[in-house]
Amino acid sequence: AYAVKEKLAVSAYSSSWVNNTLSPAAYGYLVAYHSFADASFLAALLKAKFKVRFAEKEFSFNGKQFAKGTIIVLKKGNEDRLQQFVDLASAHHASVTEVSGGFVESGFDFGSEKVHLIKKPGVILLTGKGVNANAAGEVWHLFDQQLDYPVTLINAEDVDAGDLKNADVLILPDGNYKFLQNKDAGAAIKNWVQQGGKIIAFDNAAAQIARADWGFKSKKEDDDKKKDDKKDDKDAYADIKRYENRERDWIGNNIPGAIYKVELDNSHPLAFGYGSTYFTLKMSDEIYEFMKGGWNVGVIKKESQAAGFVGNRLQEKIKDGTVIGVQPLGSGSIVFFADDPIFRNFWENGKLMLANAVFLVNQ
């Protein structure tokens, strides 16, 4: 259980059941996108080989406002499966609006460059030696049991660029990856990203990529260096500690679990479906420098701890940095999470964001 500092707004529960009365003869359909259930519907459409698009900007149609991230399924290109769409929408209780044409009242029309076609991604998940089994298992379970979307499992020690020829997304759960420590193997994977691939990295996997200098950098590297320089200048004996104080010293550098408020750039597809804030479960002090050439989608500023315990020596470190980001790399990108967005599959808050990373980023 966690105590929180902020007052939480509480409202009565309302069912998400949607009773759609849809015609397979419509020009197209607009699907609300603001929850993991909506992402599951998107996964079902892609799995069934529908041509699906999403809106990068808000728009209005027939007097109704639609948010960025709205899913668009047009009759053109899907002529032979419109009844299947109606059936899937009913099965997923999706909130669907029929449209009679491709022109909107405000915003960008459906043929605009601000409306993106979603390519069905081929997804690979690394497992095996060096990979945190719980972290890999939770991702596998999410795809297999919740998204119902195919994912290929490959042993992390065996992966090479040849395995990725038909893949679009490579997921690196928390772990220690040898190929990121090997110059040639790492360069081959990096080249795959530059050619249009996408890596999604959590926890220590993201930290390893940061150390490999692929475009984003761990904030604590500079902080630790400054502290070391300061220690050398002021106290040459600072590392000498008393045995009786060992528990106190350990607690000061420990973070068994704390919830931090993250400010989101919800204009980026990674954060579609979210408001201006997100809550991350931090199990480490990992945080990254603000990127100039990338997208700082989720940042922690000062006094962002909402609940849990953080050792006093770590509190100053976990602020003014990026915890969720997208680093463009050639034609591809690296999506990184300083923390596990779906920790043990109970951290519901991050499931939609992981789905966004797979389906929407870099489309």
Side-chain angles (χ1 to χ4, degrees), residues 138-319:
E138 70 194 16
V139 177
W140 185 14
H141 183 274
L142 184 82
F143 275 83
D144 187 60
Q145 298 296 317
Q146 299 178 53
L147 272 179
D148 190 23
Y149 190 84
V151 59
T152 300
L153 276 58
I154 292 182
N155 192 306
E157 290 198 321
D158 299 330
V159 68
D160 59 38
D163 297 318
L164 306 178
K165 286 182 179 179
N166 297 317
D168 305 288
V169 179
L170 177 64
I171 301 179
L172 277 61
D174 179 41
N176 186 27
Y177 294 89
K178 286 187 176 180
F179 72 85
L180 289 174
Q181 302 167 20
N182 181 290
K183 183 177 180 180
D184 293 336
I189 301 297
K190 186 176 183 180
N191 181 65
W192 171 78
V193 176
Q194 292 171 326
Q195 297 302 313
K198 178 167 54 184
I199 286 178
I200 302 173
F202 308 161
D203 288 358
N204 190 55
Q208 274 193 277
I209 294 174
R211 290 194 294 271
D213 194 22
W214 285 22
F216 62 100
K217 186 177 180 182
S218 176
K219 185 172 182 286
K220 69 179 182 181
E221 291 176 3
D222 284 347
D223 291 346
D224 288 346
K225 185 177 184 302
K226 289 176 183 177
K227 287 184 178 180
D228 288 341
D229 292 342
K230 187 176 181 181
K231 180 175 65 178
D232 291 341
D233 293 340
K234 288 192 172 183
D235 188 358
Y237 307 110
D239 287 334
I240 300 176
K241 298 179 174 62
R242 289 186 61 81
Y243 179 78
E244 64 182 352
N245 294 333
R246 64 191 184 281
E247 290 185 3
R248 180 185 297 175
D249 292 337
W250 177 81
I251 290 173
N253 289 294
N254 191 33
I255 176 170
I259 298 173
Y260 272 76
K261 183 178 181 180
V262 177
E263 295 191 20
L264 286 181
D265 172 10
N266 61 5
S267 70
H268 193 284
L270 182 58
F272 280 177
Y274 289 87
S276 59
T277 57
Y278 167 84
F279 288 91
T280 188
L281 177 62
K282 288 205 70 62
M283 306 291 288
S284 75
D285 63 346
E286 197 63 58
I287 190 168
Y288 299 96
E289 291 183 354
F290 296 133
M291 296 177 289
K292 294 181 180 179
W295 302 107
N296 302 285
V297 180
V299 301
I300 289 177
K301 296 184 178 179
K302 293 179 176 65
E303 299 181 358
S304 294
Q305 183 183 350
F309 175 81
V310 180
N312 64 301
R313 293 186 181 88
L314 302 183
Q315 290 176 5
E316 284 299 307
K317 185 180 293 184
I318 307 175
K319 67 178 184 180

